[in-house]
């Protein structure tokens, strides 16, 4: 179906897009940009498709002085940069071969063929320079009805790229109506064996996007119902995640991942090949040290702040509230407010102070600084430099 849409009027700035259209008049906006214009939500990326081969696209753009980056020539993609804004432009394609991870593509001039290889109907629409919407598979109606459906046969779409099994649930959470498409769920459950062909990094990236999205409890329950959750995670427990969500904890996808798999949290980093920073964060949460208690004095809280950075302490407080309470709690809110209000304690002595006292580098210096820091901690991290030096005057 093709119709005049009025969608281009919703773009705050069309100058870059109009310049591209002056060079590539047959190009169209595609995918998420069209979907989000229809949904009347902010559009973050303006991606286009065009019948011209990628080499021709490059030459045409360069001939009029537009900067072009060959971001993915083998897949038919170049990026035009105008006033610092990137526009990804991809030649129309059809899949010749797929293995669940990669596809061998050939160029085509058939817009329907290109749309047929996309994942969901709501992502398969295109918009031309005359503001005409091209919708080959009912995406506009599905978006209106908040229904996420695969283009064509769901099993075939997943067989082309197994990551679509996870993407379905991410998109359903954002654009669905709470009742996931039965054909899609059946296809996911039948294609679980393909998930193992995916790289851990791709799975982790998609999973963290799901965990940062809306309607998470429903989405995780749906993923568990089709058998997907235990395929990608070690011993997932949605009950523990729901307790964290019920507390109103911040939308931190890594924290939610930890809650979902806290019984096997130390397996997460290797299973999903998380970054070193994320792995370190999970290790801090798993260690559960130093211990948090609602009865802590301000001196105790300063000692906590001296032992560990503020952010992981606050995150751990949410995890502990989830375990102990499983819902909103004003006492834990006050605990976090007290913790955050305190200045960051900083032990006032260093190796330079030890040298000034005639203590040479080595084990003795370490012992001198440790003794001073232990006393400073015992005093609630309040003594200043002079007081710490006075305490250490007779040592060693």
């Amino acid at each position: 179906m093709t119709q005049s849409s009025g969608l281009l009027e919703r773009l705050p700035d069309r100058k870059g897009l109009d310049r591209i259209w002056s060079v590539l008049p047959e190009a169209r906006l595609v995918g998420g940009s069209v979907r989000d214009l229809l949904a009347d939500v902010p559009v973050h990326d303006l991606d286009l498709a065009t019948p011209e081969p990628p080499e021709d696209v490059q030459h045409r753009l360069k001939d009029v002085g537009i900067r072009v980056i060959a971001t993915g020539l083998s897949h038919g993609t170049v990026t035009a940069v105008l006033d610092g804004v990137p526009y990804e432009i991809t030649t129309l394609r059809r899949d010749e071969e797929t293995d669940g991870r990669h596809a061998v593509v050939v160029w085509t001039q058939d817009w329907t063929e290109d749309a047929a290889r996309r994942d969901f109907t709501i992502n398969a629409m295109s918009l031309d320079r005359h503001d005409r919407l091209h919708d080959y598979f009912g995406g506009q109606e599905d978006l209106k009805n908040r229904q996420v459906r695969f283009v064509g046969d769901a099993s075939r779409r997943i067989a082309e790229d197994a990551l679509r099994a996870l993407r379905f649930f991410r998109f359903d959470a954002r654009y669905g109506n709470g009742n996931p498409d039965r054909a899609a769920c059946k296809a996911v459950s039948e294609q679980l064996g393909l998930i193992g062909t995916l790289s851990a990094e791709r799975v982790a990236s998609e999973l963290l996007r799901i965990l940062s999205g809306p309607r998470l409890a429903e989405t995780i329950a749906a993923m568990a119902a089709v058998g997907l959750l235990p395929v990608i995670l070690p011993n997932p427990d949605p009950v523990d995640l729901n307790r964290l969500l019920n507390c109103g904890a911040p939308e931190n996808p890594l924290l939610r991942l930890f809650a979902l798999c806290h019984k096997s949290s130390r397996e997460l980093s290797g299973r999903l090949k998380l970054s070193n920073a994320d792995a370190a964060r999970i290790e801090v949460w798993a260690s559960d040290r130093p211990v948090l208690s609602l009865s802590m004095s301000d001196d105790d809280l300063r000692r906590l702040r001296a032992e560990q950075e503020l952010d992981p302490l606050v995150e751990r407080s949410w995890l502990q509230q989830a375990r102990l309470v499983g819902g909103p709690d004003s006492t834990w809110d006050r605990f976090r407010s007290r913790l955050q209000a305190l200045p960051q304690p900083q032990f006032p002595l260093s190796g330079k102070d030890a040298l000034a006292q005639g203590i040479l580098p080595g084990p003795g210096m370490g012992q001198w600084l440790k003794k001073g820091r232990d006393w400073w901690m015992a005093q609630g991290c309040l003594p200043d430099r002079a007081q710490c030096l006075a305490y250490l005057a007779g040592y060693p």
Side-chain angles (χ1 to χ4, degrees), residues 163-170 203 206-207 210 228 232:
L163 193 66
R164 287 172 172 170
L166 278 76
R167 280 172 60 83
F168 168 75
F169 290 101
R170 174 163 65 88
V203 171
E206 193 65 35
L207 179 60
I210 291 171
L228 179 59
I232 60 176

Side-chain angles (χ1 to χ4, degrees), residues 52-351:
E52 293 85 359
E55 294 79 7
D56 289 356
V57 173
Q58 281 193 99
H59 292 149
R60 290 194 191 189
L61 294 170
K62 287 181 177 179
D63 285 347
V64 297
I66 296 176
R67 182 185 172 209
V68 183
I69 303 171
T71 44
L73 279 181
S74 63
H75 296 285
T77 301
V78 302
T79 299
V81 183
L82 294 93
D83 297 323
V85 178
Y87 299 82
E88 198 171 89
I89 306 170
T90 303
T91 297
L92 297 180
R93 302 172 290 180
R94 72 169 183 269
D95 292 338
E96 288 285 281
E97 299 176 23
T98 58
D99 63 2
R101 291 177 297 172
H102 311 289
V104 176
V105 298
V106 295
W107 316 142
T108 181
Q109 294 191 331
D110 188 327
W111 284 94
T112 306
E113 277 190 329
D114 184 83
R117 68 181 299 278
R118 297 182 182 270
D119 48 13
F120 311 116
T121 61
I122 61 173
N123 293 339
M125 296 176 282
S126 57
L127 184 68
D128 66 27
R129 65 190 178 100
H130 301 294
D131 208 18
R132 291 182 302 223
L133 179 68
H134 303 263
D135 182 5
Y136 304 101
F137 301 103
Q140 186 176 13
E141 192 67 18
D142 283 344
L143 191 63
K144 179 182 177 181
N145 294 331
R146 299 193 62 81
Q147 185 174 25
V148 178
R149 295 188 302 118
F150 281 98
V151 172
D153 182 72
S155 289
R156 182 176 178 182
R157 294 285 85 79
I158 294 171
E160 291 166 350
D161 183 354
L163 193 66
R164 287 172 172 170
L166 278 76
R167 280 172 60 83
F168 168 75
F169 290 101
R170 174 163 65 88
F171 277 85
D172 192 69
R174 295 180 185 276
Y175 300 99
N177 58 19
N179 296 299
D181 181 66
R182 290 184 179 179
C185 289
K186 182 174 183 290
V188 171
S189 66
E190 291 172 348
Q191 300 280 26
L192 292 176
L194 292 176
I195 303 300
T197 67
L198 295 169
S199 71
E201 292 86 352
R202 291 187 76 201
V203 171
S205 175
E206 193 65 35
L207 179 60
L208 290 172
R209 295 175 78 176
I210 291 171
L211 289 167
S212 64
R215 294 173 40 213
L216 182 56
E218 295 176 44
T219 302
I220 292 297
M223 292 171 69
V226 300
L228 179 59
L229 208 59
V231 171
I232 60 176
L233 290 172
N235 301 315
D237 188 346
V239 172
D240 292 319
L241 171 61
N242 291 342
R243 290 176 67 86
L244 179 69
L245 297 176
N246 291 340
C247 290
E251 295 179 359
N252 180 328
L254 193 67
L255 191 69
R256 291 172 169 184
L257 176 63
F258 179 87
L260 182 58
C261 299
H262 84 271
K263 294 174 183 175
S264 305
S265 59
R266 286 189 166 91
E267 297 178 33
L268 282 172
S269 299
R271 180 77 167 264
L272 297 176
K273 296 194 184 313
L274 299 176
S275 69
N276 290 338
D278 286 348
R281 199 68 148 203
I282 285 175
E283 185 62 32
V284 167
W285 297 333
S287 69
D288 206 24
R289 292 289 185 273
V291 176
L292 306 183
S293 169
L294 292 175
S295 62
M296 285 179 160
S297 65
D298 282 357
D299 283 355
D300 293 328
L301 294 186
R302 276 189 291 271
R303 281 188 278 267
L304 277 180
R305 293 284 304 271
E307 293 254 341
Q308 200 168 94
E309 293 180 359
L310 177 61
D311 286 349
L313 283 171
V314 171
E315 291 155 355
R316 283 181 46 220
S317 76
W318 284 110
L319 292 169
Q320 194 157 333
Q321 179 181 338
R323 286 196 300 270
L324 298 177
V325 183
D329 189 280
S330 59
T331 310
W332 277 103
D333 291 339
R334 286 193 296 272
F335 175 86
R336 280 184 286 272
S337 295
R338 290 176 57 214
L339 190 62
Q340 292 167 318
L342 293 171
Q344 178 61 45
Q346 188 69 43
F347 180 54
L349 300 184
S350 68

